[in-house]
Amino acid sequence: MEWYIALIWAGVLGVAVAMYVILDGFDLGIGILFPFAKTEYERDQMMNTVAPFWDGNETWLVLGGGGLLAAFPTAYAILMPAFYLPVIAMLLGLIFRGVAFEFRWAGRRSKKFWNFAFAAGSALAAAAQGVILGALIQGVKVENGAFGGGHFDFATPFAFLCGAAVVVGYALLGATWLMMKTDGEVARLARAHAKWLLAAVIVFMGIVSLWTPLAFPRIAERWFSLPNFIFFSPVPLVTALVAFVCWKSLADERREVLPFLCAIALFFLGYSGLVISNFPYLVPPTLTVWQTAAAPASQIFLLLGTLFMLPIILGYTGFVYWLFRGKIRAGEGYH
Amino acid sequence: MDFDPVLLARLQFAFTISFHIIFPTFTIGLSAYIATLEVMWLWSAREHYHRLARFWTKIFAVSFAMGVVSGLVLSYEFGTNWSRFSAIAGNIVGPLMGYEVLVAFFLESTFLGIMLFGWNRFPRGLHVFACIAVATGTLISAFWIISANSWMHTPAGHAMQNGVAVPVDWLQIIFNPSFPYRLAHMATAAYLTTSFVVLAVGARYLLAGKYLDEAKTMLRMGVGFAAIVAPLQLFIGDQHGLNTLKYQPIKIAAMEAHWDGSTPGDFEIFAWPDQKGETNRYAISVPRGSSLVLTHDPNGLFPGLKSVAASERPNVPIVFFAFRIMLGIGFFMIGAALLGAFLWWRGKLFEARWYLVPAQFVWWIGFVAVIAGWTVTEAGRQPWVAYGILRTADAVSPVPGSSIAITLALFVLVYGIVFSMGIYYINRLINTGPASVANAEPVSGMASRPISPET
Ligand code: HDD
Ligand code: HEM
Ligand code: HEM
């Protein structure tokens, strides 16, 4: 009976990562778009749309890391050393952009510096996450149950491509969020940016979808063998449809929420594509969720708490988003 | 070049966690203080409580941000630097930290939004509730992380299978033998440290003749609280030490620099522990003092360092001096708090310049005691990372020393910039004082901080 507990855990971690990517995605995206704002006043507005939420959003990353350690310690112990440098780069980026939320208001002369730190830190963290994702897909060398590869194994053109893709994707999430939460110049600019970003996201998704089956036979086999091909073919079709709806809604000034929902859906579809490509490997191409699972007693103990707490957490998270609902009007801020 | 990965990984961990613990210490204490102020404001409807709560909330926001980002680093360091530790102890430590995320981190980080930005938006009751949620979250966070940490000192409730620790009894794991003492000692340390910060700021305003209502409230609350809790901390620490004697006698021997277990232990007020010669130089001691404290008998015996091979001992001078720093500060705090309480009782607290002038400078002593205390605990556990289960030297990741050296240098650089700016901003917020809060408020209808800092 233990085999499905590891599966449930894989599902829970999948949810945590998806929540993280969407929630912190739009708030890192605000950082990535920061340099494009023209005035200090616009930057204030942009930051105000996420200031009450960023810490909660980032906690999903802690849950992802902590959950991996708790439920799949072997995978954690292999992957973290394998991605040592990009993980640390991500952390350093998150340090700068995290403190910028508070320091930017406290600083006077240093405000410009914290604007830069917020933007650069967000972009660095997003890029590092993309690189880690790419490096995971291309596979990790395992020897005697530990990481056996070199220190720069992660650094391939494919991984850097994924890095760029995530930066652009987060920027799209951020831009569509701004359209929903602001008006005036900020929203207008976000809509203009979103069109370009959407186009870029589609291009990146296309490249990654072609590159992975060409470069990794196991992925080609997963998609193109029968009957898989029939089951999975809706994924690219639905993706194309969502992209089209997103494009339309960007052209229609009255649509303020739909673009954001479409951007989330695009992320979700890309994510399910990756899951299809790699399941059940947690450390591709060698170790599966079962081979890296924690002792059953550990998995069950934390699972009980997780299944109990997750609905509560989602409940109060939703409550706080609801409390801060609506647009930030010109001239106001939570600060 | 040759870099020792174990040493570097230890340096990196010690550096990052020592930075981290500064902020939790302060945020655990400060969130409770702010929640208290808000409840008193609701209760008494006196505006200066409100001003104080808002003032400290700004400082809290800056500290909390630094606590979060430095903690995030730690949670990944278990994998990047200590992957073998994660593989061997992950079954136990992982779920404990998982519970910390689920029941503590989400609670505090989500309600933080209301606490910082909800002042004029939401009903007061909701705001008070959010403050209490954040304060509770920080304390629950301490519960789980200290449980994980204590298990590494006094492992219980587990079995070893193929060299990996697997859980057998979760209650024994969570409530392992040193956990209640360590949790009580740490929580008290956080509250005590914060009360000295509050006290110092109160003294500073009073001497400057500014914000007198607020200053007096802060002084009274700081002194009153510390006068109760500082002596309590001595008692808890003493009990903690007795527990350690039972489970980690060599750590105690290092704290006391007690070499020869066949004679009663003196308490060394000062000494230079000579590890090669296995003796203390330049010692000023209270004869049989340690035996009296630890065994309640001047002739009592307890194990000495020589009872184990030199390779099984921690670094004695580090543990020894760190312990003395903590003790010194502990006794200083007791003295300062009781003296303040005496002055208050005689109605002289607000006039006694000779007391207030030094008092405004003591805000940092608690932080030093906390770092010293953790150094005793962690360095005293060496050479083990999980006592009796895994040695530090075997816990490190298969990562080349050069990478750790580079990232360590980056951490030092980044933390140096970020945290010195943070402390500079906190100091400036304190200089600006509580009054500006009230002034900045009505313009936009919801400003806890002005939109542009010049206003
Ligand atoms: C849950 C685990 C945990 C927790 C809560 C703490 N530690 Fe720790 N500490 C470790 C887990 C650990 C460790 C992973 O076990 C280390 C790394 C290497 C080692 O020897 O132990 C360690 C080492 C270590 C060292 C280096 C000691 C040496 O190598 O000689 C210092 C100075 C500290 N810690 C300080 C702290 C501080 C200031 C803490 C306050 C928060 C703290 N530790 C909490
Ligand atoms: C190895 C040890 C530790 C790890 C891995 C760790 C991990 C973390 C992480 C990931 C966060 C950020 C959470 C968020 O996003 O909100 C954090 C914050 C926090 N940690 Fe730690 N921590 C450690 C030690 C401690 C200790 C010993 C305490 C308490 C005594 C503590 C108390 C807190 C508190 C209260 C916070 C909330 C943020 C703040 O107060 O600034 N931590 N920690
Ligand atoms: C005045 C009397 C005090 C005594 C007798 C005392 C005793 C102790 C002992 C024996 C330990 C080591 C625990 C171990 O075996 O691992 C310890 C650790 C520690 N002490 Fe103290 N202490 C005192 C004061 C303080 C003060 C004033 C603070 C901070 C404000 C403080 C903060 C800490 C911390 C943070 C630790 C590490 C966590 C732990 O193991 O509990 N102590 N203390």
Side-chain angles (χ1 to χ4, degrees), chain A residues 54-56 58-60 62, chain B residues 13 17 20-21 23-28 60 63-78 97 100-101 104-106 108-109 137-139 141-143 145-146 149 152 183 186-187 190 374:
Chain A
W54 74 272
D55 190 6
E58 210 166 280
T59 307
W60 293 95
V62 185
Chain B
F13 196 80
I17 202 166
H20 174 62
I21 195 64
F23 300 102
T25 305
F26 192 40
T27 51
I28 292 171
F60 178 79
S63 325
F64 199 91
M66 292 193 276
V68 168
V69 295
S70 60
L72 190 64
V73 171
L74 289 179
S75 66
Y76 278 84
E77 246 171 14
F78 283 101
M97 300 212 285
E100 183 186 12
V101 182
F105 288 162
F106 274 112
E108 51 189 50
S109 59
T138 59
L139 201 57
S141 156
F143 177 96
I145 193 76
I146 301 271
N149 178 268
M152 294 163 63
L183 178 63
M186 178 66 216
W374 276 109

Side-chain angles (χ1 to χ4, degrees), chain A residues 208-224:
Chain A
V208 172
S209 316
L210 290 178
W211 192 323
T212 42
L214 288 179
F216 311 108
R218 69 186 158 86
I219 295 181
E221 195 185 329
R222 176 62 54 86
W223 284 87
F224 298 122

